[in-house]
Amino acid sequence: MIEHLPAVLSEHRESIYLLFRRYGALDKPVLVGSDLAYEYEQFCLTEAGQVLADTRLRQIIRSTQEAVLVPPLLYLAVRLTVAKWRWVQIHVEQMVCREVTVSEYLEFKERLVEKSRGQRWVLELDLSPFERGFPKLSETRSIGRGVEYLNRFLSGRLFDSGGEGHRRLFEFLKLHQVQGRQLMLNGVVQDVAQLQEALRVALDHLQPEPPDTTWESHSAELRKLGFEVGWGRTVSQIRESMELLSDILEAPAPKNLEQFLSRIPMIFSIAIVSPHGFFGQSEVLGKPDTGGQVVYILDQVRALEREMRSSIHDQGLDFEPQILVLTRLIPESQGTTSDQRIEHILGTEHVRILRVPFRDARGQVVPQWIPRFEIWEYLERYAVEAEREMVAELGGKPDFLIGNYSDGNLVASILAHRLGVTQCNIAHALEKTKYPHSDLHWKQHEEEYHFSCQYTADLIAMNTADFIITSTYQEIAGTKESIGQYESYSSFTMPGLYRVVSGIDCFDPKFNIVSPGTDEAAFFPYYEVARRLPDLRAGVLDLIFGSPSDETRGQFRDLNKPILFAMSRLDRVKNMAGLLEWYAQSAELRSIANLLLVGGHVDPERATGAEQLHQIHLMHRLFDEYHLDDEVRWVLRQTDKTRVGELYRCVADSRGAFVQPALFEAFGLTVIEAMRSGLPTLATCYGGPLEIIEDGVSGFHIDPNHGEDVVQRILAFFDDHTRDPEYWWRISQAGVLRVRERYAWNLYAEKLLSLSRIYGFWNYITNIERQETRRYLEMFYGLMYRPLARGETQLSLAARARTGTRHEEPRP
Ligand code: UDP
Ligand code: LCN
């Protein structure tokens, strides 16, 4: 595509010159893809521009995600296809172009904010040299299915050449122990040949035995041959495992290998790291920074425990798995359990929350909640102390670590490094995509958000993780049109700090899509009437239609209109006030539907944090300005999941719809909850909902940047329903099925545990751990992250001086 640029430039010189002037007239040095494409199309409608309508330039502009214009130079960042980029410089007056490196592109961009152009040496982070010889996917459709690729690639490479792979597999099988008890193989078999022979004899021995007799009945015989417990509980399971291994040793096939590894007893204890926020089982949702991640982890651990118990049982063992959720202890717990060191998680046998406090530089416990943007200086010390407590609580190191969000992933990196444990990362939401240009203009945000620390932590944790799971494909690599959340870390710049020319590669086989689910006990379709509790329903109806109180505003005058429902934390990005304003401004929408908003506090006195306070005032102002009290009801955040489930169902009873108007939503648990409840859903096209919903089939996409279009989309939905009474039902049912098939916790747990075993194995058997990368990242941690987190950079010192915060020397 880029190759055609010189010819197009010379052929349509004059017209293109006018187009570039048009771009210049926008007076934005950084132009985003939508600006470029819109202006291009508009220009093609003019007399001077019509010659450009059918040129290759149109395709190039459509693929350009960003352009930087400082006349006479225009730089384009062209995304040829998902996760594949090229950069071009065009001299606008001479109409010549040349391809440039990403480094040059970023350097040009830096000049927009850094006055001392190109004089200083800039630190460039480049992880690509470490990737030489390391397997990488090549097809964009394979992104997010890393484990399949890795199995294919490595089983071919290791086993086809014979010898080494078999020997490493044999060694690996001898490693496993639980509570001092040897598993799988004992010392009787000494090498691969002996193992093959032992498998033959064992299979002959088991062949005539009834398939449901247990390991115990044959343990004496099998032990003599070299086998220990762990192959299966029953004869049929033991035989299956042994046949799989025998086949692998004879002629390895990736599928067999994957199946066999998934059966090995390797994971008995897991630590899940989620330091920030209020992490608890009740009274925490809706508090700032505490939302879907908590819901996700609580459901996740229940599913993981069930799956671990079942697989440990099938392996013929009688151990109880252990899962610990490691979070922060907050003495000023605001009515939550966040001040308790240990808390058992309901609905599980043994899962516990372990809370460890943050300590300041003098070693004093930090008593109060701290926003997630402010926690960086505490994390290293936290990791060291949490490790001690975690190991004591588990009676040893965990077999597997899962980090959550930027802070949890960084702590998991530190722990995994210290303990030598497999590390999995879950981002939940990468802030970089939520705040446009927050990398380029990081200094402007530094005082409030400390993105310098966060993005540095993200880069380190992404690259140390053995594998990363994401909820959707777009989280990794976006769509044809838009950039993925991880992709946005592949190259970027924070002028004055460092420039990333190769930060993470979406084609890395460490990425796997493993989507979360919904809690089936709380979220089920409205038409499953027998499961719905009348008392719960009565309470929820009161919440929707009852009299105004301290924690509600508005009361529906017309009780028969369908309800439009939105529920989220009251953050700016969630855009609840945006939805309220669109609704307020549409007389037609107001006449056909009521609006129910659930989130935050209605009483400004009870606001937690400046951002929430601002949103509360904004909502009240809109209520007053547009006289909304008869048509809109705003209810404080809900903390009881069962009640929330019934809320979706009651709205579905009204033949209403759920609206998720966020400016960006990384995944969107509310979206799958609403759909699972049978409530037709219209959700933002920025982020996860784009992939969850098939537009026009199982719901609708809406663009929060175009409120009028959103209103038209909602009106069209109700209109279609009026003309065809089956319409609402079809969308509702397609949503129910979509979530049932794709977003289920049991599938999640099965897949995640399988990944943990497979990546654990490949770490052992190959040099996949990438020692060189690790050493490079350690240096980056020590020389970049640490000073940033401690506030030792010029900028943070200046910020601290302004805010009067004194920097304390951390303990040695
Ligand atoms: N939620 C809730 N009460 C509220 C607001 C939200 O129970 O007042 C729950 C909601 O049901 C969902 C989670 O909080 O399970 C929000 O997750 P989501 O992924 O939608 O957004 P996040 O808060 O993580 O950004
Ligand atoms: C954080 C978010 O912002 C949501 O979009 C996700 O659904 C949630 O975490 C759970 O992963």
Side-chain angles (χ1 to χ4, degrees), residues 292-293 296 426 428-429 434 471 516 569 574 665-669:
Q293 183 171 325
Y296 181 118
I426 306 176
H428 293 284
K434 276 199 208 165
S471 300
R569 287 178 291 122
K574 295 288 183 184
E665 186 62 68
F667 178 67
L669 290 174

Side-chain angles (χ1 to χ4, degrees), residues 285 291-292 295 567 569 574 637-638 644 665 668-670 673:
L285 281 182
V295 176
M567 179 178 71
R569 287 178 291 122
K574 295 288 183 184
R637 66 188 168 87
Q638 294 300 298
V644 168
E665 186 62 68
L669 290 174
T670 52
E673 290 164 1

Side-chain angles (χ1 to χ4, degrees), residues 757-805:
R757 296 186 191 102
I758 294 170
Y759 281 89
F761 168 68
W762 287 121
N763 269 349
Y764 175 79
I765 207 161
T766 67
N767 59 353
I768 200 169
E769 250 194 310
R770 309 183 224 191
Q771 282 300 334
E772 302 87 339
T773 322
R774 196 169 268 286
R775 306 299 290 178
Y776 182 64
L777 292 167
E778 270 170 29
M779 190 150 49
F780 192 54
Y781 180 92
L783 300 180
M784 183 57 69
Y785 175 79
R786 252 197 203 136
L788 283 172
R790 288 175 180 173
E792 287 168 359
T793 59
Q794 294 285 338
L795 194 81
S796 14
L797 290 173
R800 277 166 196 269
R802 269 199 303 282
T803 56
T805 335

Side-chain angles (χ1 to χ4, degrees), residues 542-571:
D542 188 50
L543 195 82
I544 302 175
F545 298 107
S547 319
S549 68
D550 286 357
E551 287 296 6
T552 62
R553 177 158 184 187
Q555 185 174 23
F556 301 143
R557 195 175 30 162
D558 181 345
L559 307 185
N560 296 316
K561 285 195 280 191
I563 298 169
L564 278 177
F565 172 38
M567 179 178 71
S568 71
R569 287 178 291 122
L570 215 52
D571 281 4

Side-chain angles (χ1 to χ4, degrees), residues 236-423:
S236 83
Q237 289 167 330
I238 299 168
R239 270 178 32 198
E240 273 166 29
S241 304
M242 289 185 166
E243 278 164 7
L244 278 170
L245 180 59
S246 178
D247 289 349
I248 291 165
L249 293 175
E250 195 183 350
K255 203 76 221 152
N256 282 354
L257 192 66
E258 187 179 332
Q259 273 182 28
F260 177 67
L261 292 175
S262 296
R263 298 171 82 108
I264 297 186
M266 286 166 66
I267 310 290
F268 299 98
S269 65
I270 302 181
I272 293 174
V273 192
S274 177
H276 80 255
F278 286 95
F279 192 103
Q281 301 183 76
S282 58
E283 299 305 324
V284 297
L285 281 182
K287 285 193 187 288
D289 296 352
T290 308
Q293 183 171 325
V294 173
V295 176
Y296 181 118
I297 293 173
L298 290 174
D299 285 346
Q300 173 201 42
V301 293
R302 293 187 184 109
L304 283 177
E305 188 186 52
R306 268 196 303 277
E307 181 60 28
M308 284 168 85
R309 295 185 91 213
S310 139
S311 56
I312 292 173
H313 178 269
D314 287 348
Q315 285 150 357
L317 298 161
D318 293 310
F319 291 104
E320 277 298 336
Q322 295 203 67
I323 303 180
L324 267 193
V325 179
L326 202 55
T327 188
R328 203 195 136 198
L329 186 141
I330 310 173
E332 290 170 10
S333 63
Q334 298 185 17
T336 71
T337 51
S338 295
D339 56 348
Q340 292 177 15
R341 182 179 171 276
I342 281 279
E343 182 180 342
H344 170 251
I345 294 187
L346 299 169
T348 69
E349 298 290 327
H350 295 291
V351 185
R352 286 154 294 160
I353 303 170
L354 170 65
R355 298 192 180 90
V356 178
F358 284 169
R359 286 179 192 277
D360 65 18
R362 289 202 220 99
Q364 301 298 312
V365 168
V366 179
Q368 77 284 13
W369 171 81
I370 300 175
R372 69 186 191 282
F373 299 116
E374 308 273 344
I375 56 179
W376 305 106
E377 63 183 290
Y378 304 106
L379 294 182
E380 185 170 333
R381 183 175 186 145
Y382 173 82
V384 175
E385 291 178 11
E387 176 192 324
R388 235 185 353 254
E389 297 212 26
M390 171 181 74
V391 170
E393 204 55 46
L394 291 174
K397 63 181 186 180
D399 298 313
F400 178 39
L401 273 158
I402 306 176
N404 291 273
Y405 192 67
S406 307
D407 57 335
N409 288 328
L410 186 76
V411 173
S413 295
I414 299 172
L415 291 172
H417 184 44
R418 291 168 63 98
L419 297 169
V421 171
T422 306
Q423 174 197 349

